[in-house]
């Protein structure tokens, strides 16, 4: 571990600004997931990404959010116009595929929206 | 959609005692149930999981049981140690381990030496 890294570890931004959070797999994985965790609360699913396409997304993942794999390696989560309530830890998770596709979380990015 | 309830929200035990955390789920199609441990400021770490074709799974001091009929599953930690202190989250998925995980609200376990 870790099997994915995330950058930055902490991002501070002003409300209304765009942010891009990055997830970098260390080895080849097929499945990626983004989750968020507001301080002191449970982990919430945002979106899953399989074979370079969105597989599932939650109600939280509205038009303000997008995911990409721009270079076939890094995996990004973009929030177009941040709101105060977007302040949270954002975790990227990876799954290996196949029958034992356990999800392992990256170290997370703490996003603070002022 | 799936909803996962977790109890208790906090649990305090003496070192060496056992701890039990219980979760219920709403969607009978759920077939994968992982447990994650999260220390303060750290990522959730997978500690054990169970699939719907199994009733019980054990890994050293940790065990998980699943009752599909009642739609509940439990985490059992025996011989607790201070380093077991953390927040524990249960989760469920209707698409196996590939699907999105729906988490419970977490249980803060404190193990007193």
């Amino acid at each position: 571990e870790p099997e994915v890294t995330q950058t930055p570890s902490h991002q501070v931004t002003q409300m209304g600004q765009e942010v891009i959070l990055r997830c970098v797999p260390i080895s080849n994985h097929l499945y990626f997931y983004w989750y968020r965790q507001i301080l002191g609360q449970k982990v919430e699913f945002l979106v899953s990404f399989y074979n370079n396409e969105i597989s599932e997304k939650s109600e939280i993942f509205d038009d303000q959010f997008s995911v990409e794999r721009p270079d076939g390696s890094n995996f990004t989560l973009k929030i177009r116009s941040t709101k105060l309530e977007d302040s949270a830890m954002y975790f990227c998770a990876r799954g290996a595929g196949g029958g034992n596709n356990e999800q392992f979380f990256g170290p997370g990015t703490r996003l603070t929206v002022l | 959609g799936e909803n996962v309830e977790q109890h208790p929200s906090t649990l305090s035990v003496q070192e060496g005692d056992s701890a039990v955390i219980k979760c219920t789920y709403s969607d009978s199609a759920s077939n994968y149930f992982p447990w994650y441990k999260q220390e303060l400021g750290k990522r959730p770490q997978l500690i054990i999981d169970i699939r719907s074709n199994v009733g019980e799974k054990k890994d050293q001091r940790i065990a998980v049981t699943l009752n599909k009929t009642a739609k509940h599953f439990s985490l059992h930690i025996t011989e607790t140690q201070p380093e077991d202190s953390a927040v524990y989250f249960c989760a469920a998925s209707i698409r196996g381990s590939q699907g999105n995980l729906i988490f419970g609200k977490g249980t803060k376990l404190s193990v007193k030496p």
Side-chain angles (χ1 to χ4, degrees), chain A residues 22-73:
Chain A
R22 290 182 174 80
C23 175
V24 184
I26 296 177
S27 54
N28 288 331
H29 300 123
L30 291 176
Y31 290 87
F32 292 93
Y33 310 81
W34 283 101
Y35 292 87
R36 79 171 185 190
Q37 186 178 32
I38 296 170
L39 185 63
Q41 298 188 22
K42 66 178 178 180
V43 179
E44 298 175 293
F45 168 73
L46 293 177
V47 64
S48 59
F49 202 74
Y50 170 67
N51 204 23
N52 297 328
E53 291 185 354
I54 289 177
S55 177
E56 292 181 273
K57 57 184 179 179
S58 72
E59 293 177 352
I60 302 169
F61 194 84
D62 60 21
D63 292 343
Q64 294 294 335
F65 292 88
S66 62
V67 289
E68 286 185 347
R69 200 168 189 186
D71 57 7
S73 176

Side-chain angles (χ1 to χ4, degrees), chain B residues 28-80:
Chain B
S28 56
S30 289
N31 55 15
Y32 176 67
F33 308 92
W35 287 88
Y36 286 83
K37 174 184 180 182
Q38 187 177 35
E39 297 175 345
L40 190 62
K42 302 277 185 70
R43 77 187 81 185
Q45 289 190 298
L46 179 68
I47 55 171
I48 195 167
D49 59 9
I50 191 167
R51 288 167 170 79
S52 59
N53 58 346
V54 175
E56 184 174 357
K57 184 177 178 180
K58 190 174 182 179
D59 183 3
Q60 298 182 344
R61 295 186 297 109
I62 295 173
V64 58
T65 59
L66 171 65
N67 183 327
K68 287 190 294 182
T69 303
K71 291 190 284 189
H72 67 69
F73 56 112
S74 301
L75 177 72
H76 305 252
I77 306 174
T78 58
E79 301 172 24
T80 53

Side-chain angles (χ1 to χ4, degrees), chain A residues 1-4 31 33 35 37 41-45 48 55-56 91 97-107 110, chain B residues 3-4 32 36 38 41-46 49 51 57 89 93-106:
Chain A
E1 288 195 57
E3 299 193 32
V4 292
Y31 290 87
Y33 310 81
Y35 292 87
Q37 186 178 32
Q41 298 188 22
K42 66 178 178 180
V43 179
E44 298 175 293
F45 168 73
S48 59
S55 177
E56 292 181 273
F91 293 104
N100 293 313
N101 190 53
E102 296 92 345
Q103 295 182 32
F104 294 94
F105 283 66
R110 178 171 296 284
Chain B
N3 182 52
V4 177
Y32 176 67
Y36 286 83
Q38 187 177 35
K42 302 277 185 70
R43 77 187 81 185
Q45 289 190 298
L46 179 68
D49 59 9
R51 288 167 170 79
K57 184 177 178 180
F89 291 95
S93 166
I94 64 170
R95 290 183 58 241
S97 54
Q98 300 172 1
N100 56 294
L101 299 176
I102 304 301
F103 283 81
K105 290 186 176 181

